[in-house]
C-alpha cells in the first residue's frame, strides 16, 4: 500500500468518526428530582448512543460537574439559565455533541426542622436557656445541611393563646438579652416560644424563614392551693368577648362593642380610673398616663421597598390602634369552693382589654392584655355602658359561660 493511499484511508476513517460523533444525540435525566436547585448536588444521568460514559465530557457555565460512571454530579452556584455542553473524546481530541439549556431554581426551605439542636416542636427549658441564642438547622432543605445562625428575628412567648412577651433581635448572631432570659426562666410546661421573621446568615444570600415554633417541656411543679378548713381558694383567669356571648342577638355591633375599651382608655387617661401593668395585676403602683399613652399609641412598622433603580429603601408606616377590633377582655377571678357543701363563690377581681394578633393568612395567633383595671372600681363605668347597650352587655358576656353550663 502506497503512502498516499494510506494517507487517504486515514483521512476517510477520521472523517467518518467525526461525522459519527457530530451526528450523535445525548439524553439527560435528573435523578430523584424534576428540577435543578442551586447549591445542591444534583445528580444527572447522561448518555450518548453507544459512546462510553467514560468518553463523555460535560461542562457547564454555572458551577462544577464531576462524574461517577454515567452519573454526573452538578452543583450550580446560582439560579437562572444555565448552558450544559456535552462532548466526546476522539482520537484527535474532543468533538462537541451539543448543548442544552437548563434552568436552576433558588433553594427553598420549609420551616426549619430543628432549632438550637432540638427537634422542631418540643425543647427542654434548660436547653433553650443554655443556648442563649437562636440557631437554625435545615436537614431537609435543598441547600447546605448544616446549622446556621441568624441576624434578625422576633421572639414571642405564648401561654394558652396569651402573648406574654415579645422582643426583637438583630445583629451578628445576637444573644438573648437579660430580660428575655428572665422571661424564659419563668416558662411552664406547654408554653410556646415562637421565632418569626427569621433572617438566616452564612447561607449564601440571606434567607428568611417565616416562623419557628417550640413547645417548652419541663418537670411539672405542683401549684399550691390556699385551703382553709373545707374551703379551697383559686385564682382563675379567662378570656371573654362581647361579640361571642350567646345571650346577645347575632347582629353586627362591632363598633358599639369596641366602644367599651375606648371608654376605659379615656377614663384612665383622664385620671378617673387607675390602670395596672398587664404582667403584674397585683402591683400596688398604677401606670402613669404617659405609660398608658405609650401602650395605646400608634405602632410603627418598618417595611423594605425596592425603588425603580433597584435601591432598597426602608419605609416607616404608622398604624393607629383600631378600637373596633378590641372587643375582648381578660378576666381575673377568685374562686372559693366549699368541699363540704359543694358551693362555689366567684368574685371578679380585675379585667383587662386585650389586643388580638393574627397570622398573615388571617388565622388567630395570640392575644395580649393592655392593662388591668380593678373590677369594683370600674363597675360603675361597666354598668353605664350596659345601660346604653342592652343588646351587648359586659355583664352578659362575663357570666355567659356559667349560664351555658346550667
Amino acid at each position: 500500500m502506497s503512502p498516499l493511499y494510506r494517507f487517504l484511508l486515514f483521512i476517510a476513517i477520521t472523517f467518518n468518526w467525526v461525522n459519527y460523533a457530530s451526528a450523535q444525540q445525548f439524553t439527560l435525566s435528573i435523578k430523584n428530582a424534576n428540577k435543578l436547585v442551586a447549591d445542591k448536588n444534583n445528580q444527572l444521568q447522561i448518555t450518548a448512543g453507544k459512546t462510553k460514559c467514560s468518553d463523555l465530557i460535560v461542562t457547564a457555565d454555572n458551577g462544577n460537574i464531576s462524574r461517577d460512571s454515567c452519573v454526573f454530579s452538578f452543583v450550580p452556584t446560582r439560579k437562572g439559565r444555565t448552558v450544559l455542553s456535552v462532548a466526546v473524546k476522539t482520537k484527535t481530541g474532543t468533538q462537541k455533541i451539543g448543548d442544552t439549556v437548563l434552568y436552576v431554581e433558588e433553594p427553598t426551605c420549609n420551616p426549619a426542622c430543628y432549632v438550637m439542636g432540638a427537634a422542631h416542636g418540643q425543647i427542654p427549658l434548660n436547653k433553650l436557656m443554655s443556648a442563649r441564642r437562636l440557631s437554625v438547622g435545615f436537614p431537609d432543605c435543598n441547600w447546605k445541611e448544616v446549622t446556621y445562625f441568624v441576624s434578625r428575628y422576633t421572639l414571642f412567648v405564648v401561654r394558652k393563646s396569651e402573648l406574654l412577651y415579645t422582643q426583637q433581635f438583630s445583629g451578628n448572631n445576637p444573644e438573648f438579652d437579660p430580660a428575655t432570659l428572665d422571661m424564659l426562666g419563668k416558662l411552664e410546661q406547654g408554653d410556646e416560644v415562637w421565632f418569626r421573621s427569621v433572617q438566616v446568615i452564612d447561607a449564601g444570600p440571606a434567607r428568611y424563614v417565616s416562623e419557628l415554633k417550640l413547645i417548652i417541656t419541663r418537670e411539672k411543679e405542683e401549684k399550691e392551693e390556699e385551703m382553709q378548713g373545707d374551703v379551697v381558694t383559686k385564682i382563675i383567669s379567662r378570656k371573654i368577648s362581647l361579640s361571642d356571648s350567646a345571650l346577645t342577638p347575632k347582629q353586627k355591633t362591632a363598633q358599639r362593642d369596641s366602644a367599651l375599651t375606648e371608654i376605659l382608655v379615656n377614663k384612665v387617661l383622664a385620671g378617673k380610673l387607675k390602670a395596672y401593668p398587664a404582667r403584674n395585676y397585683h402591683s400596688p403602683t398604677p401606670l402613669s398616663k404617659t405609660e398608658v399613652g405609650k401602650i395605646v399609641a400608634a405602632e410603627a412598622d418598618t417595611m423594605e421597598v425596592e425603588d425603580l433603580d433597584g435601591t432598597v429603601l426602608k419605609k416607616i408606616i404608622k398604624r393607629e390602634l383600631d378600637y373596633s377590633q378590641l372587643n375582648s377582655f381578660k378576666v381575673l377571678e377568685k374562686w372559693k369552693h366549699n368541699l363540704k357543701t359543694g358551693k362555689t363563690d366567684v368574685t371578679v377581681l380585675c379585667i383587662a382589654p386585650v389586643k388580638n394578633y393574627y397570622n398573615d393568612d388571617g388565622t388567630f395567633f395570640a392575644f395580649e392584655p393592655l392593662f388591668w383595671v380593678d373590677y369594683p372600681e370600674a363597675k360603675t363605668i361597666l354598668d353605664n355602658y350596659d345601660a346604653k347597650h342592652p343588646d351587648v352587655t359586659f355583664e352578659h358576656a362575663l357570666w355567659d359561660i356559667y349560664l351555658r353550663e346550667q
Side-chain angles (χ1 to χ4, degrees), residues 356-369:
N356 291 331
Y357 291 87
Y358 298 90
N359 298 308
D360 292 338
D361 60 1
T363 57
F364 175 78
F365 170 58
F367 72 89
E368 179 183 24

PDB file of all heavy atoms in Angstrom, residues 356-369:
ATOM      1  N   ASN A 356     -55.789  41.343  69.942  1.00  0.00           N
ATOM      2  CA  ASN A 356     -55.569  40.080  69.263  1.00  0.00           C
ATOM      3  C   ASN A 356     -54.527  40.244  68.162  1.00  0.00           C
ATOM      4  O   ASN A 356     -54.469  41.279  67.486  1.00  0.00           O
ATOM      5  CB  ASN A 356     -56.869  39.555  68.653  1.00  0.00           C
ATOM      6  CG  ASN A 356     -57.867  39.115  69.713  1.00  0.00           C
ATOM      7  OD1 ASN A 356     -57.476  38.702  70.801  1.00  0.00           O
ATOM      8  ND2 ASN A 356     -59.144  39.217  69.405  1.00  0.00           N
ATOM      9  N   TYR A 357     -53.715  39.217  67.971  1.00  0.00           N
ATOM     10  CA  TYR A 357     -52.727  39.182  66.894  1.00  0.00           C
ATOM     11  C   TYR A 357     -53.096  38.051  65.937  1.00  0.00           C
ATOM     12  O   TYR A 357     -53.546  36.985  66.372  1.00  0.00           O
ATOM     13  CB  TYR A 357     -51.313  38.951  67.445  1.00  0.00           C
ATOM     14  CG  TYR A 357     -50.773  40.118  68.237  1.00  0.00           C
ATOM     15  CD1 TYR A 357     -51.043  40.245  69.601  1.00  0.00           C
ATOM     16  CD2 TYR A 357     -50.005  41.106  67.630  1.00  0.00           C
ATOM     17  CE1 TYR A 357     -50.555  41.318  70.332  1.00  0.00           C
ATOM     18  CE2 TYR A 357     -49.517  42.185  68.355  1.00  0.00           C
ATOM     19  CZ  TYR A 357     -49.797  42.279  69.706  1.00  0.00           C
ATOM     20  OH  TYR A 357     -49.310  43.350  70.424  1.00  0.00           O
ATOM     21  N   TYR A 358     -52.881  38.297  64.644  1.00  0.00           N
ATOM     22  CA  TYR A 358     -53.267  37.331  63.628  1.00  0.00           C
ATOM     23  C   TYR A 358     -52.083  37.003  62.718  1.00  0.00           C
ATOM     24  O   TYR A 358     -51.173  37.810  62.527  1.00  0.00           O
ATOM     25  CB  TYR A 358     -54.429  37.874  62.793  1.00  0.00           C
ATOM     26  CG  TYR A 358     -55.674  38.135  63.615  1.00  0.00           C
ATOM     27  CD1 TYR A 358     -55.880  39.374  64.217  1.00  0.00           C
ATOM     28  CD2 TYR A 358     -56.619  37.135  63.812  1.00  0.00           C
ATOM     29  CE1 TYR A 358     -57.009  39.610  64.996  1.00  0.00           C
ATOM     30  CE2 TYR A 358     -57.753  37.363  64.584  1.00  0.00           C
ATOM     31  CZ  TYR A 358     -57.944  38.598  65.174  1.00  0.00           C
ATOM     32  OH  TYR A 358     -59.056  38.828  65.939  1.00  0.00           O
ATOM     33  N   ASN A 359     -52.112  35.783  62.172  1.00  0.00           N
ATOM     34  CA  ASN A 359     -51.105  35.370  61.207  1.00  0.00           C
ATOM     35  C   ASN A 359     -51.364  36.048  59.866  1.00  0.00           C
ATOM     36  O   ASN A 359     -52.408  36.684  59.660  1.00  0.00           O
ATOM     37  CB  ASN A 359     -51.132  33.846  61.029  1.00  0.00           C
ATOM     38  CG  ASN A 359     -50.803  33.119  62.317  1.00  0.00           C
ATOM     39  OD1 ASN A 359     -49.787  33.400  62.954  1.00  0.00           O
ATOM     40  ND2 ASN A 359     -51.654  32.180  62.714  1.00  0.00           N
ATOM     41  N   ASP A 360     -50.422  35.897  58.954  1.00  0.00           N
ATOM     42  CA  ASP A 360     -50.564  36.517  57.630  1.00  0.00           C
ATOM     43  C   ASP A 360     -51.784  35.998  56.879  1.00  0.00           C
ATOM     44  O   ASP A 360     -52.357  36.704  56.043  1.00  0.00           O
ATOM     45  CB  ASP A 360     -49.303  36.267  56.792  1.00  0.00           C
ATOM     46  CG  ASP A 360     -48.094  37.004  57.344  1.00  0.00           C
ATOM     47  OD1 ASP A 360     -48.301  37.994  58.077  1.00  0.00           O
ATOM     48  OD2 ASP A 360     -46.958  36.598  57.054  1.00  0.00           O
ATOM     49  N   ASP A 361     -52.192  34.752  57.168  1.00  0.00           N
ATOM     50  CA  ASP A 361     -53.355  34.193  56.484  1.00  0.00           C
ATOM     51  C   ASP A 361     -54.667  34.530  57.180  1.00  0.00           C
ATOM     52  O   ASP A 361     -55.735  34.032  56.805  1.00  0.00           O
ATOM     53  CB  ASP A 361     -53.218  32.670  56.332  1.00  0.00           C
ATOM     54  CG  ASP A 361     -53.108  31.968  57.696  1.00  0.00           C
ATOM     55  OD1 ASP A 361     -53.163  32.660  58.735  1.00  0.00           O
ATOM     56  OD2 ASP A 361     -52.953  30.739  57.704  1.00  0.00           O
ATOM     57  N   GLY A 362     -54.603  35.371  58.224  1.00  0.00           N
ATOM     58  CA  GLY A 362     -55.812  35.808  58.908  1.00  0.00           C
ATOM     59  C   GLY A 362     -56.235  34.949  60.081  1.00  0.00           C
ATOM     60  O   GLY A 362     -57.191  35.296  60.781  1.00  0.00           O
ATOM     61  N   THR A 363     -55.552  33.844  60.325  1.00  0.00           N
ATOM     62  CA  THR A 363     -55.902  32.988  61.462  1.00  0.00           C
ATOM     63  C   THR A 363     -55.371  33.587  62.766  1.00  0.00           C
ATOM     64  O   THR A 363     -54.372  34.291  62.781  1.00  0.00           O
ATOM     65  CB  THR A 363     -55.335  31.571  61.277  1.00  0.00           C
ATOM     66  OG1 THR A 363     -53.913  31.656  61.096  1.00  0.00           O
ATOM     67  CG2 THR A 363     -55.964  30.899  60.061  1.00  0.00           C
ATOM     68  N   PHE A 364     -56.037  33.271  63.852  1.00  0.00           N
ATOM     69  CA  PHE A 364     -55.675  33.817  65.167  1.00  0.00           C
ATOM     70  C   PHE A 364     -54.325  33.279  65.630  1.00  0.00           C
ATOM     71  O   PHE A 364     -54.044  32.090  65.490  1.00  0.00           O
ATOM     72  CB  PHE A 364     -56.767  33.474  66.180  1.00  0.00           C
ATOM     73  CG  PHE A 364     -56.452  33.874  67.589  1.00  0.00           C
ATOM     74  CD1 PHE A 364     -56.583  35.192  67.998  1.00  0.00           C
ATOM     75  CD2 PHE A 364     -56.014  32.941  68.517  1.00  0.00           C
ATOM     76  CE1 PHE A 364     -56.298  35.571  69.309  1.00  0.00           C
ATOM     77  CE2 PHE A 364     -55.724  33.290  69.814  1.00  0.00           C
ATOM     78  CZ  PHE A 364     -55.865  34.615  70.211  1.00  0.00           C
ATOM     79  N   PHE A 365     -53.488  34.161  66.199  1.00  0.00           N
ATOM     80  CA  PHE A 365     -52.183  33.755  66.712  1.00  0.00           C
ATOM     81  C   PHE A 365     -52.146  33.813  68.236  1.00  0.00           C
ATOM     82  O   PHE A 365     -51.900  32.817  68.902  1.00  0.00           O
ATOM     83  CB  PHE A 365     -51.086  34.641  66.129  1.00  0.00           C
ATOM     84  CG  PHE A 365     -49.737  34.466  66.777  1.00  0.00           C
ATOM     85  CD1 PHE A 365     -49.121  33.228  66.810  1.00  0.00           C
ATOM     86  CD2 PHE A 365     -49.089  35.539  67.380  1.00  0.00           C
ATOM     87  CE1 PHE A 365     -47.887  33.050  67.424  1.00  0.00           C
ATOM     88  CE2 PHE A 365     -47.856  35.383  67.992  1.00  0.00           C
ATOM     89  CZ  PHE A 365     -47.249  34.129  68.009  1.00  0.00           C
ATOM     90  N   ALA A 366     -52.408  34.986  68.799  1.00  0.00           N
ATOM     91  CA  ALA A 366     -52.338  35.143  70.253  1.00  0.00           C
ATOM     92  C   ALA A 366     -53.029  36.446  70.637  1.00  0.00           C
ATOM     93  O   ALA A 366     -53.363  37.271  69.787  1.00  0.00           O
ATOM     94  CB  ALA A 366     -50.885  35.142  70.732  1.00  0.00           C
ATOM     95  N   PHE A 367     -53.260  36.612  71.937  1.00  0.00           N
ATOM     96  CA  PHE A 367     -53.813  37.875  72.422  1.00  0.00           C
ATOM     97  C   PHE A 367     -52.910  38.426  73.509  1.00  0.00           C
ATOM     98  O   PHE A 367     -52.186  37.680  74.182  1.00  0.00           O
ATOM     99  CB  PHE A 367     -55.244  37.697  72.937  1.00  0.00           C
ATOM    100  CG  PHE A 367     -55.364  36.951  74.235  1.00  0.00           C
ATOM    101  CD1 PHE A 367     -55.314  37.631  75.455  1.00  0.00           C
ATOM    102  CD2 PHE A 367     -55.534  35.574  74.257  1.00  0.00           C
ATOM    103  CE1 PHE A 367     -55.422  36.948  76.663  1.00  0.00           C
ATOM    104  CE2 PHE A 367     -55.642  34.884  75.457  1.00  0.00           C
ATOM    105  CZ  PHE A 367     -55.586  35.565  76.660  1.00  0.00           C
ATOM    106  N   GLU A 368     -52.973  39.740  73.697  1.00  0.00           N
ATOM    107  CA  GLU A 368     -52.123  40.402  74.693  1.00  0.00           C
ATOM    108  C   GLU A 368     -52.949  41.399  75.498  1.00  0.00           C
ATOM    109  O   GLU A 368     -53.571  42.298  74.923  1.00  0.00           O
ATOM    110  CB  GLU A 368     -50.976  41.136  74.005  1.00  0.00           C
ATOM    111  CG  GLU A 368     -50.056  41.868  74.967  1.00  0.00           C
ATOM    112  CD  GLU A 368     -48.970  42.638  74.247  1.00  0.00           C
ATOM    113  OE1 GLU A 368     -49.169  42.987  73.060  1.00  0.00           O
ATOM    114  OE2 GLU A 368     -47.927  42.909  74.861  1.00  0.00           O
ATOM    115  N   PRO A 369     -52.989  41.273  76.839  1.00  0.00           N
ATOM    116  CA  PRO A 369     -53.679  42.272  77.660  1.00  0.00           C
ATOM    117  C   PRO A 369     -52.970  43.621  77.581  1.00  0.00           C
ATOM    118  O   PRO A 369     -51.736  43.678  77.543  1.00  0.00           O
ATOM    119  CB  PRO A 369     -53.590  41.695  79.076  1.00  0.00           C
ATOM    120  CG  PRO A 369     -53.248  40.257  78.902  1.00  0.00           C
ATOM    121  CD  PRO A 369     -52.440  40.173  77.652  1.00  0.00           C
TER     122      PRO A 369
END
